Amino acid sequence: MILLAVLFLCFISSYSASVKGHTTGLSLNNDRLYKLTYSTEVFLDRGKGNLQDSVGYRISSNVDVVLLWRSPDGDDNQLIQITMKDVNVENVNQQRGEKSIFKGKKSSQIIRKENLEAMQRPVLLHLIHGKVKEIFGSMSFFPPTSSFFLR
């Protein structure tokens, strides 16, 4: 879930812009699907020494973003849906070869099928002036019918 939050923050920060005295939100068009790709690396040994000797993993994902609703009042109040797809987990150090715990395994085997499914459930963000006011989505540790509301 932390990774999901980090990806959302990356997405929001890459699209929000500051103008002197005013913050504008995302510039998404209605009825248009935006396809983005994100990748992050997590080093378990805190990046000590050479990168070739580091221990960690890389998570990459395609992200679909859709504007679901925008306030007709023009006050930059909107609801967007974010869905992660094609989540891939791999070793950050490709030189380990046969020693790698990632060798020959699918992402669902590494991060468990339930966690992978939870990451790929849609999440709704309520944005006002480019800032997240509310997050709506499914909780990973409850059945898919459960949901959470974060303010």
Side-chain angles (χ1 to χ4, degrees):
M1 238 16 209
I2 292 173
L3 173 66
L4 191 59
V6 169
L7 288 174
F8 289 152
L9 291 175
C10 290
F11 170 75
I12 296 302
S13 66
S14 68
Y15 277 104
S16 63
S18 288
V19 179
K20 189 174 183 177
H22 178 70
T23 302
T24 58
L26 300 175
S27 298
L28 300 177
N29 293 325
N30 291 337
D31 304 321
R32 184 167 181 186
L33 173 67
Y34 293 85
K35 292 187 168 284
L36 307 166
T37 301
Y38 284 99
S39 177
T40 186
E41 293 178 350
V42 178
F43 292 97
L44 302 176
D45 61 354
R46 300 180 188 215
K48 296 177 182 174
N50 286 335
L51 278 177
Q52 293 81 11
D53 298 331
S54 294
V55 177
Y57 56 93
R58 178 181 303 111
I59 297 179
S60 58
S61 173
N62 292 327
V63 179
D64 292 348
V65 181
V66 177
L67 174 66
L68 298 178
W69 173 83
R70 178 179 284 133
S71 172
D73 299 335
D75 59 358
D76 205 17
N77 184 0
Q78 55 193 350
L79 185 68
I80 63 171
Q81 176 180 305
I82 298 176
T83 307
M84 294 174 60
K85 297 183 175 195
D86 306 321
V87 177
N88 187 28
V89 181
E90 59 189 2
N91 192 350
V92 77
N93 186 344
Q94 299 300 328
Q95 294 182 354
R96 293 201 178 266
E98 296 297 322
K99 295 184 205 176
S100 175
I101 63 168
F102 299 92
K103 180 121 175 115
K105 292 186 180 175
K106 298 178 185 176
S107 295
S108 60
Q109 294 172 310
I110 297 169
I111 59 174
R112 291 189 17 217
K113 184 179 176 184
E114 298 83 18
N115 292 336
L116 186 60
E117 288 172 354
M119 289 176 69
Q120 295 179 352
R121 290 187 196 125
V123 174
L124 303 179
L125 299 178
H126 178 207
L127 303 172
I128 298 178
H129 299 296
K131 295 181 181 177
V132 177
K133 293 298 178 182
E134 299 168 308
I135 301 173
F136 305 91
S138 298
M139 295 184 83
S140 61
F141 45 88
F142 289 118
T145 56
S146 299
S147 62
F148 72 88
F149 171 72
L150 179 65
R151 274 196 154 169

